[in-house]
Amino acid sequence: MLETGTLLKSAKDQWRVERLLGSGGQGEVYLVTNGTQKHAALKWYYPHFANPAQRDRLQDLIARGAPSRNFIWPLDLVETPDGSTFGYVMPLLEPRFKSPVELMKGTINPSFRVICTICFELAYHYQQLHSQGLTYYDISLNNFAFDPNIGEVRIMDNDNACPAGMQVSVHGTPGFMAPEIVRGEATPSIETDLHSLAVLLFHLLFISHPLNGEQEYRIHCLDMAAMQQLYGTNPIFIFDPNNDSNRPVPGYHDNALIYWKIYPQFIRDLFTQAFTNGLKDPNERVREPEWKRALARLRDSIIFSADGSENFYDLELLRQGKPHICWHSKQEITLPPRLKIDDRIVMLTHVTTLSEHHLRGNFEFDKVVGRVVQHPTQRGIWGLRNESEQPWYFTDQDRTLREVPPGKSVTLFNGLTINFGGVTGEVRS
């Protein structure tokens, strides 16, 4: 719709169209620059979407500002001189961010740690959006991107975000919409967003859909009537403990069958809640704080087998006296030491770092305060190095109180207790 070199003015700046980046259901996206050669993206609406309601929504979102820097948020409203068509300028997505569709297809293979980080970040940032009284309306695989090396996310297509309860034309993506929306009994809300978020997290962790089991297998044409049945009229969780009529079909739903066994019991329990009671009662859905706690715990549960494969520590297996078996090598895993601080358990592997969250439970992961390190001369001897700005204190094996200054390490042993400064942790092996 816009030619290269077209100049567009806004209240804040003038933008020059450089080239078309892509197109979607509502409009086209262009690379644009301003007078200082700053690059940005411009979403330009098709005329039938450039209506007064959409303009008002954009102006409200621009005035509010992004809930966090992880949102590709509308920054500036741009329109033609006569106001007949318009669009908005937003930050340009960096090339390092990839589509989750690539993960679903298997063309990229992030580590379990990265997947856990992606899921945590999604729960964290959607909570930021909801805390402002906004509903996203269309949480799905299509509307975010992630860095496959570190798990950082960017949430896109935010121009449809609205105050909760506002009537909107976008109700969601098939397969992600809450059952009550599919049945036509409700409009999008924060509660329906919570269902969509749970479906999205299930896709990322289990590479499958939580409601696609035998019922879906028996459908020859997945048309609107079939989707109404699967996701609205009779949705059944594929691992519902009280209803086995929609189990994954071997040879057809293998991802679900394989990945469900890999994750620890506490994460399976949370998804069971989301897709049993949560399917029937929106008030029973898992909320973002619960997801954040569980996903942070899941990331801290990562352990490694002898062949280097990532696995997860499962406290339930320990309680039952069962060994941890590697999903890849099928060999028993020797468990590393674990650090318990209040209700938080951190597996102390060769890649473990401690952050403020591990000490305070505040979800602050940016500041590293401790790191697992190997003894410089004795292989197989591991310690925890103090990377904070204050000393730690511990009682050694002869019950003498000793100090661990910043930059120094304490050797790990069973029963070690460390005072991190108002917070005490205990090492078990």
Side-chain angles (χ1 to χ4, degrees), residues 357-370:
H357 167 76
H358 297 112
L359 305 186
R360 317 294 173 189
N362 57 8
F363 302 114
E364 294 291 334
F365 295 101
D366 291 340
K367 185 177 180 182
V368 174
V369 298

Side-chain angles (χ1 to χ4, degrees), residues 128-384:
Q128 298 295 103
L129 180 83
H130 290 153
S131 69
Q132 293 192 8
L134 296 173
T135 303
Y136 188 81
Y137 294 104
D138 193 18
I139 296 174
S140 74
L141 288 167
N142 301 322
N143 296 324
F144 82 96
F146 65 91
D147 184 326
N149 296 308
I150 59 175
E152 186 179 352
V153 305
R154 291 290 184 269
I155 297 173
M156 305 177 295
D157 294 335
N158 297 291
D159 50 323
N160 289 313
C162 288
M166 179 179 288
Q167 294 295 318
V168 293
S169 58
V170 176
H171 282 189
T173 297
F176 289 83
M177 290 185 285
E180 61 270 27
I181 291 183
V182 178
R183 295 191 300 265
E185 299 170 357
T187 55
S189 65
I190 290 176
E191 284 67 33
T192 63
D193 268 5
L194 292 176
H195 173 82
S196 303
L197 175 61
V199 175
L200 177 57
L201 297 178
F202 194 91
H203 270 87
L204 294 170
L205 291 171
F206 303 99
I207 321 296
S208 50
H209 193 288
L211 306 179
N212 285 359
E214 188 172 346
Q215 284 195 129
E216 183 239 2
Y217 176 74
R218 295 184 181 279
I219 293 171
H220 299 294
C221 178
L222 194 61
D223 56 14
M224 290 303 296
M227 289 191 287
Q228 177 85 12
Q229 173 77 8
L230 276 179
Y231 308 130
T233 308
N234 189 35
I236 301 171
F237 182 38
I238 57 176
F239 294 111
D240 189 322
N242 300 312
N243 186 344
D244 63 1
S245 66
N246 193 31
R247 288 287 185 261
V249 176
Y252 190 76
H253 300 117
D254 287 342
N255 279 346
L257 292 167
I258 292 169
Y259 282 97
W260 185 251
K261 297 175 183 178
I262 290 176
Y263 290 95
Q265 188 63 48
F266 74 86
I267 204 75
R268 298 199 299 262
D269 288 345
L270 208 54
F271 279 106
T272 300
Q273 176 188 336
F275 298 120
T276 54
N277 294 341
L279 279 180
K280 303 176 183 70
D281 184 353
N283 294 317
E284 292 291 322
R285 287 176 183 152
V286 180
R287 307 196 77 84
E288 298 99 328
E290 296 174 88
W291 284 125
K292 290 194 304 181
R293 285 191 294 272
L295 292 164
R297 178 182 174 187
L298 184 64
R299 187 170 59 185
D300 288 336
S301 299
I302 292 175
I303 54 178
F304 295 86
S305 61
D307 69 353
S309 299
E310 289 176 298
N311 287 260
F312 293 95
Y313 168 73
D314 191 342
L315 181 59
E316 192 60 32
L317 287 178
L318 200 68
R319 287 170 175 163
Q320 296 174 14
K322 296 180 179 179
H324 284 70
I325 304 297
C326 174
W327 63 268
H328 182 258
S329 69
K330 311 304 180 187
Q331 300 299 309
E332 184 173 344
I333 301 170
T334 301
L335 294 179
R338 57 192 181 276
L339 174 67
K340 187 175 188 299
I341 304 175
D342 294 333
D343 62 347
R344 297 176 293 283
I345 297 177
V346 187
M347 303 309 292
L348 300 177
T349 72
H350 62 287
V351 297
T352 299
T353 57
L354 297 183
S355 65
E356 281 292 326
H357 167 76
H358 297 112
L359 305 186
R360 317 294 173 189
N362 57 8
F363 302 114
E364 294 291 334
F365 295 101
D366 291 340
K367 185 177 180 182
V368 174
V369 298
R371 188 182 305 273
V372 173
V373 293
Q374 190 171 27
H375 192 281
T377 60
Q378 301 180 52
R379 290 182 60 82
I381 303 298
W382 294 85
L384 190 61

